[in-house]
Amino acid sequence: MERAGSDRLKSIAAALSVAHAAARAGLPAFMWLIPPARSDGLSAGAGRPPGRSAALAFALGALCLIFGFGPSKAMIGVILLSLVGLMLAWLATRQVGGQTGDILGAFEQIGEIAILLMAAALPHTKLRP
């Protein structure tokens, strides 16, 4: 019984790590796609990452999802992160005219929550600790 509890804790820790890494990996792509709302904000100061760097970061996030959840569930995770990005991009552009540091933080948090909800909703998810 103790072994099962230990495996469950390892799976939870793996899910938390994978969700965080994948959500963070989407930030450069979001920054590349959505212009800053203001020219004097922290987000504008960080600059726009090169397209190649944004694509590489997104690919690394997808690899984290693949190694953590397996290929089929990783695809669901990539779709979820993309939908989060599209919805937040629409809202940010409409409300404040682009992305800010707060919007980037919101993207990371919402993306991480979406991945964790996916992991919780798919009961047969075998995480690889």
Side-chain angles (χ1 to χ4, degrees), residues 30-112:
F30 191 83
M31 291 173 71
W32 184 77
L33 289 170
I34 309 302
R38 298 185 322 258
S39 60
D40 62 341
L42 290 176
S43 181
R48 183 178 182 203
R52 182 179 228 161
S53 297
L56 180 61
F58 197 80
L60 287 173
L63 279 175
C64 287
L65 289 169
I66 289 169
F67 288 125
F69 297 120
S72 62
K73 291 175 183 73
M75 182 60 73
I76 296 169
V78 167
I79 291 169
L80 282 173
L81 282 175
S82 298
L83 288 173
V84 164
L86 289 172
M87 288 188 296
L88 193 57
W90 173 80
L91 185 63
T93 302
R94 186 166 182 229
Q95 295 290 320
V96 295
Q99 46 102 345
T100 65
D102 288 339
I103 290 170
L104 292 175
F107 171 82
E108 192 279 329
Q109 291 294 295
I110 296 168
E112 191 169 340

Side-chain angles (χ1 to χ4, degrees), residues 20-31:
H20 185 73
R24 283 277 188 179
L27 286 173
F30 191 83
M31 291 173 71

Side-chain angles (χ1 to χ4, degrees), residues 4-22:
S6 174
D7 288 345
R8 184 172 167 89
L9 286 176
K10 287 179 185 176
S11 290
I12 291 170
L16 290 169
S17 299
V18 167
H20 185 73

